[in-house]
Structure formats: structure tokens, C-alpha cells
Amino acid sequence: MSETATAPRRPRVAIVLKGYPRLSETFIAQEILGLKRLGCPVHLVSLRWPTDEREHPVHAEIAEAPNYLPEYLYQEPLRVVRSWWQARRLPGYRAARRMFLADWRRDRTPNRGRRWGQAMVLASEMPADIGLIYAHFLHTPGSVARYAGRMLGLPFAVSAHAKDIWTIPDWEKREKLGDLAFLVTCTGANAAHLQGLAPEPERVSLVYHGLDFSRFPPPPVGTEPSRRDGSAAGDPVRLLSVGRFVDKKGHAGLLDALSRCRDLHWRIEFIGGGPLKEELRAEAERLGLADRVSLRAAMAQGELLLRYRAADLFVLNSRISDDGDRDGLPNVLMEAQSQRLACLSTRVSAVPEIVRDGETGLLVPPDDPAALAAALRRLILDPALRMRLGAAGETHLRAHFGHASGVESVFQNIRRVLER
């Protein structure tokens, strides 16, 4: 899709995001950068302003300033009214309004109304050279992209991940799947579920995000794996867990499991951001583990890389929340494996697609603190097992989960739509 000096400028792709930039969504940022490098011109749109205090280097490399839509419509009333006045003159406005009202009758929530308002702003402010609206996440961004696309007569497509699939009703998924040009999703479980709902299953494809190995090179030559085995109070086994402090990450269950291993010498560092941080701190104190537990804020990739290299074992206790939210293919497992770090996780969603139990890591059932404690004990006591699983995990990762092939797949889908 590279341009020549005489060729007309190619249509841009409007990429609709929940928020940008975000430390917790590096997989999206690396895809955007990869698309740009393949010659796909982009226009970023964000439904929310950023809340993280820092950025990853990849965001600076993308070097695109998003159009931030009104996060709440009352915050920019004149912009919303002006957009409505302009959008109502668009050729597809009436069809889009009928679509929204049909959704509203089944989902009378403030969020649904906000999606419609944001879609009118997006449609009225859309640059003239856009050929496709591509949304990351099927739920809110997917609705905004769908409504705006209908107003403008533009195709829309979606990259679906986790919560956005499992927390919206089937009727909404079916109707979006019937309208979109294509959908890519990052796990086999997601793909099978969505293909079963799609009028044309071939529009849904499995595309792993993968990892950008240039940002996560192998550990330095000569790095020796740790021999810590939990027997020395002065040299405890170093555990690491990276993920937002939200229910689906299972941090509370992990603390429960760790309390059952208090006779061993270990320390754990939790890294992330989110609403449950103080609850987890209080739970660690209640269990008598406060002196062994550190809770850190979200970090940029360079800082995380050093944490992975300093750790002996990576633990992610993924679970399915009561509302159905769950992980997809957690990037942090790939990041940990890239550093030959043994991984312990659960049989949730696509985790078994990257962590093969007994081969490239250990898996336990979700919501089973006793099983998690037994696996923790086994790995803390056996540095040779950690070394074997870590080495196998890195080999498997680098053979099957590079991000370049995934970006190429997305690029080819986009190119087919633009050429039509």
C-alpha cells in the first residue's frame, strides 16, 4: 500500500479506540504502528482521554494525535449539538437513527445514548479521505463505529478481544456481525463463539496479537537462571504478577493461595492499575502477608522488561468474572515467556493456547486456591522445573507468536475492503 509520487493518496483508516494512549493496551499500539509501517495511513479516534501518567515508546513512534470525542456528552454540549445539526444531513443518518432506536429499545442505558452522541460527532468530524472505520473492541467502540459508518456510507470492521465479546448480549453481537466488513479476534475460543453467531462465519478470523520481539529481546548472553528454592529467608523466590487490579485477574485468589505457602520464603510484586488496588492491599494485611507483597503502579515496557528479568516465576490467576468478563490472550504471559520466565496461570479463555500445561508452563483450574497453592509450592521448590518450563515457553513463543504475521493479516483484511 505504499504511495508513489504520481499516485493519488490512498484512503485512510479511522481507528476507533476506547482510550488512547493506554499502558495496558500495548497490543493495540503495536498493531497501529505495524499498519503504518506497512503503508496503511491511519486517523486515530478515542472515546476517552488518557488516564495513565506515562506512555510506552511505541506511542511516540506512532506519532498520531487522536480526535478525542466527548467522553460525556454534557461536557461539550455545543459540539454535540453542532454535530447533530451536521450529521442529520448525511445520506445515511435516518438509517443510522433507526438502527440506534432499535438498539435503544433493548438497551435503555446512558451508555447507549452516549454511543449515539459520540457517533454523530465522529460522523460530522470525519475527514473526507477515510475509506474504512476500524474499531478495537466490539462493544462501545463497535457501536460508535457502526452508527457513524451507516451515516457516512462507510464500511466498518472490528478487532474483538475479551470483555467486549463476553459482556454484551447475543442479539447485539449477531447484528454487528451481520453489518461489519470483517472481524478479527485474538483467541480460538473467541473466534469459534463469534463464527457461531455470524450470518457469514468467514467474516470472522483468528489473528493472534503476538509480541514485538524487538522490544522484548532474549535475556543477555550469560544470564544464569535463579537457583532460589524458597529455603533461604535472606534470598526468597521472586514472584511477579502483571495485570490491572480488576476482578478477572484473580489477584485476591492468588493472595489466598500464597497464604497457604507461608512456610516457604518468597516475595511477590504486583504491577498494574485499577480500582481494586486498595482492597488487595487490605487483603494482604488481613492474611498477614503485607511484608511479602508489593503493589506497584503500571509501568512502561522498558521498566517491565527489567522486572521480568529479575523475577523467578510469573503468576497470572485469570478468572471469569460474574458479569462474564475474562482475559483473551494476555500479553503479559507472552512478555514473561520472552524472558525465559516460567509461567503459572489458569485454564481460562486462550491462556492454554500460549501456556501448555507441563510443557511451556503450569495451568490450574480457575477459582481453585488449593490447586494454585500446590502449583506455586511445586515451582517455588524446584528451580530446575522453572528453568525447563521457561526455556520451552520462550521457544514456543518465538516460533508461533510473533506480532508481524498478525499485523500482516489485519493489513490484508483492510486492503481488501479498501480495494472494493
Side-chain angles (χ1 to χ4, degrees), residues 357-377:
D357 187 34
E359 297 179 29
T360 66
L362 293 186
L363 295 176
V364 298
D367 298 321
D368 191 339
L372 184 60
L376 280 165
R377 182 175 294 275

Side-chain angles (χ1 to χ4, degrees), residues 258-309:
L258 287 167
S259 72
R260 304 171 192 230
C261 302
R262 64 178 72 245
D263 57 307
L264 301 176
H265 296 289
W266 52 264
R267 297 287 186 275
I268 186 165
E269 188 173 40
F270 291 93
I271 299 175
L276 299 183
K277 184 173 184 178
E278 293 310 312
E279 288 185 30
L280 293 170
R281 193 187 307 279
E283 181 66 5
E285 292 178 358
R286 187 187 71 80
L287 293 169
L289 302 177
D291 60 337
R292 300 186 181 208
V293 175
S294 299
L295 293 114
R296 310 290 188 196
M299 297 180 181
Q301 284 180 325
E303 297 172 280
L304 280 177
L305 181 61
L306 298 178
R307 292 306 206 278
Y308 291 127
R309 289 178 174 175

Side-chain angles (χ1 to χ4, degrees), residues 296-342:
R296 310 290 188 196
M299 297 180 181
Q301 284 180 325
E303 297 172 280
L304 280 177
L305 181 61
L306 298 178
R307 292 306 206 278
Y308 291 127
R309 289 178 174 175
D312 300 319
L313 173 63
F314 185 83
V315 190
L316 185 67
N317 187 37
S318 298
R319 66 182 303 272
I320 299 175
S321 297
D322 292 343
D323 65 356
D325 190 13
R326 67 199 73 183
D327 278 325
L329 182 63
N331 239 46
V332 292
L333 286 171
M334 293 187 284
E335 292 172 4
Q337 286 188 333
S338 76
Q339 301 309 300
R340 263 171 248 147
L341 186 56

Side-chain angles (χ1 to χ4, degrees), residues 242-253:
V242 180
R244 296 186 67 235
F245 297 123
V246 293
D247 182 67
K248 70 179 178 180
K249 300 298 183 181
H251 294 315

